């Protein structure tokens, strides 16, 4: 997310590092569902033993609520930074969606068995599809999946008018209704976590995860012929397709790191992962400041970001490669900051 959110120039970006304009997907569209998927896996790994030991629900609920509120508050902090106009501040957002999905998936996990969790995952996908396909949106009708003219956009306008994504204003990619299938994505991770905790052999886990993930990908692709795969709407087909791909990716990672022992390969990701929210928030703050710090030179206004791009990258690279090099440098400097915290054993625990 740090890489794709911080190109040197939005007009010069390799297509795989951009979101799909609407229907369809790119590698960039896999980042968010993969994160929610692994949040779900983490819920199972973190809470299973506590649930089995019958740790008081009051204590567990307190941890879940606190973590969710902190994540949501951090999302609002980033949405408004640094001006905080409460009349127009965007209420939905990436961290806000993570908070809601974590909260719901964790509560479902705490109060149900595996079969019920699977039923929730399937049911949320079905409910989303039913409303999107058959609810008659005023002035539009039923079954629309176009920008701003679908049930999800209508509901967001009804409940969040004036507080949505500034680039669209009429719909939000992290809106209210599209969070339902996102919760299902998280629950697919919860179910995967159960499987990883099972007594099956490592080889069996790897093969089964690849098989199950492949089935999910094919099913999501097939469903996409009737319900378009769309990240902005987080359609049920998109949730199923990306959950399948996340399962396959996890299986490959599990095989390489846990079975083959390629732990050095995973070390940079551990450095980031131990402070994932910290680096995301800090990168958001720094990225915003690079636009806001500016000065006048002659008849033009120069931002700190444009100055860095033009001074260190544009002179020796093509426009698209200069933009990519800037983004990679942003990722590298973020890694250096997190590596310092990693070495100092300073980890943010939300």
């Amino acid at each position: 997310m740090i890489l794709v959110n911080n190109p040197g120039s939005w007009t010069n970006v390799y297509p795989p590092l951009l979101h799909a304009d609407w229907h369809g997907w790119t590698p960039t569209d896999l980042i968010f569902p993969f994160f929610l998927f692994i949040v779900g896996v983490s819920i199972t790994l973190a809470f299973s033993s506590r649930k089995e030991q019958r740790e008081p629900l009051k204590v567990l609920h307190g941890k879940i609520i606190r973590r969710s509120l902190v994540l949501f508050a951090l999302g609002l902090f980033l949405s408004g930074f640094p001006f905080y106009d409460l009349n127009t501040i965007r209420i939905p957002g990436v961290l806000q969606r993570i908070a809601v999905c974590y909260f719901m998936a964790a509560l479902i996990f705490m109060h149900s068995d595996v079969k019920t969790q699977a039923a929730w995952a399937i049911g949320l996908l079905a409910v989303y599809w039913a409303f999107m396909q058959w609810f008659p949106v005023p002035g539009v009708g039923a079954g629309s999946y176009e920008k701003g003219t679908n049930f999800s956009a209508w509901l967001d306008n009804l409940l969040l008018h004036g507080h949505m994504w500034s680039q669209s204003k009429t719909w939000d990619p992290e809106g209210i209704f599209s969070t339902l299938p996102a919760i299902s994505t998280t629950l697919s991770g919860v179910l995967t976590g159960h499987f990883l905790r099972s007594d099956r052999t490592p080889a069996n886990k790897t093969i089964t995860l690849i098989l199950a993930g492949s089935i999910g990908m094919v099913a999501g692709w097939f469903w996409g012929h009737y319900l378009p795969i769309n990240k902005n709407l987080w359609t049920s087909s998109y949730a199923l397709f990306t959950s399948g791909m996340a399962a396959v990716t996890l299986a490959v990672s599990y095989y390489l790191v846990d079975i083959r022992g390629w732990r050095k390969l995973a070390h940079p990701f551990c450095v980031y992962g131990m402070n994932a929210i910290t680096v995301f928030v800090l990168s958001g703050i720094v990225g915003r400041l690079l636009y806001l710090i500016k000065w006048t030179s002659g008849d033009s206004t120069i931002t700190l970001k444009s100055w860095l791009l033009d001074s260190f990258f544009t002179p020796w690279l093509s426009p698209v490669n200069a933009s990519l090099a800037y983004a990679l440098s942003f990722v590298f400097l973020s890694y250096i900051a997190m590596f310092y915290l990693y070495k100092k054993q300073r980890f943010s625990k939300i």
Side-chain angles (χ1 to χ4, degrees):
M1 292 183 76
I2 295 171
L3 176 70
V4 302
N5 283 349
N6 295 280
S9 168
W10 286 106
T11 58
N12 295 292
V13 182
Y14 283 105
L17 299 180
L18 291 170
H19 289 290
D21 180 59
W22 194 240
H23 297 324
W25 63 280
T26 72
T28 298
D29 294 314
L30 303 178
I31 300 170
F32 200 176
F34 275 31
F35 193 92
L36 288 181
F37 178 87
I38 211 65
V39 165
V41 174
S42 300
I43 288 172
T44 304
L45 299 183
F47 285 112
S48 287
S49 59
R50 294 180 176 185
K51 185 177 177 181
E52 292 163 0
Q53 294 169 7
R54 298 185 180 277
E55 189 170 331
L57 286 177
K58 182 178 180 181
V59 175
L60 297 176
H61 285 166
K63 293 180 180 294
I64 293 168
I65 293 170
R66 176 187 172 278
R67 183 169 294 161
S68 301
L69 289 175
V70 170
L71 282 171
F72 201 95
L74 285 172
L76 289 178
F77 171 79
L78 279 181
S79 291
F81 181 83
F83 303 113
Y84 301 104
D85 183 352
L86 298 183
N87 292 317
T88 59
I89 189 172
R90 183 189 178 199
I91 295 176
V94 171
L95 291 179
Q96 295 93 314
R97 172 162 284 181
I98 294 172
V100 173
C101 289
Y102 168 79
F103 177 76
M104 293 302 301
L107 287 184
I108 291 170
F109 171 82
M110 292 304 306
H111 294 279
S112 63
D113 57 17
V114 176
K115 290 183 179 179
T116 304
Q117 291 158 23
W120 268 98
I122 296 170
L124 289 171
L125 297 182
V127 167
Y128 175 91
W129 188 27
F131 273 88
M132 290 290 285
Q133 186 68 33
W134 293 296
F135 186 92
V137 176
V140 176
S144 173
Y145 296 99
E146 299 307 314
K147 291 182 180 180
T149 60
N150 54 74
F151 174 77
S152 182
W154 173 78
L155 187 64
D156 287 343
N157 268 291
L158 185 66
L159 301 177
L160 297 172
H161 185 70
H163 295 279
M164 292 183 289
W165 192 35
S166 60
Q167 295 184 41
S168 65
K169 293 183 171 44
T170 60
W171 55 274
D172 197 291
E174 280 79 48
I176 295 173
F177 192 66
S178 59
T179 299
L180 294 186
I183 295 171
S184 180
T185 300
T186 313
L187 287 172
S188 68
V190 169
L191 297 171
T192 302
H194 285 298
F195 179 73
L196 289 175
R197 294 186 77 246
S198 69
D199 295 330
R200 295 172 181 250
T201 65
N204 182 276
K205 290 178 182 178
T206 301
I207 294 171
T208 304
L209 270 180
I210 290 176
L211 179 61
S214 299
I215 292 173
M217 290 169 60
V218 171
W221 170 82
F222 181 79
W223 198 356
H225 288 77
Y226 305 93
L227 174 63
I229 291 176
N230 187 304
K231 186 266 180 188
N232 289 298
L233 293 173
W234 210 288
T235 53
S236 300
S237 56
Y238 169 79
L240 183 57
F241 177 79
T242 54
S243 292
M245 193 174 290
V248 172
T249 305
L250 178 59
V252 173
S253 301
Y254 176 70
Y255 173 75
L256 293 177
V257 178
D258 289 77
I259 297 177
R260 295 296 300 273
W262 293 9
R263 298 189 179 276
K264 289 184 178 180
L265 179 69
H267 186 262
F269 302 100
C270 291
V271 171
Y272 270 119
M274 293 298 289
N275 278 300
I277 301 300
T278 299
V279 71
F280 179 75
V281 172
L282 288 178
S283 68
I285 294 172
V286 173
R288 193 78 56 85
L289 289 176
L290 289 173
Y291 277 109
L292 294 176
I293 298 174
K294 60 183 69 175
W295 58 89
T296 301
S297 178
D299 296 330
S300 61
T301 299
I302 301 173
T303 66
L304 179 55
K305 178 176 181 176
S306 63
W307 178 81
L308 290 171
L309 179 68
D310 293 339
S311 298
F312 296 99
F313 303 100
T314 302
W316 55 284
L317 290 169
S318 65
V320 68
N321 285 327
S323 180
L324 176 60
Y326 177 94
L328 290 171
S329 299
F330 201 104
V331 172
F332 177 71
L333 292 175
S334 299
Y335 176 80
I336 294 299
M338 293 307 104
F339 185 76
Y340 173 81
L341 295 179
Y342 185 87
K343 282 301 217 180
K344 294 291 184 179
Q345 295 292 292
R346 295 178 181 174
F347 307 124
S348 58
K349 295 182 178 180
I350 297 176

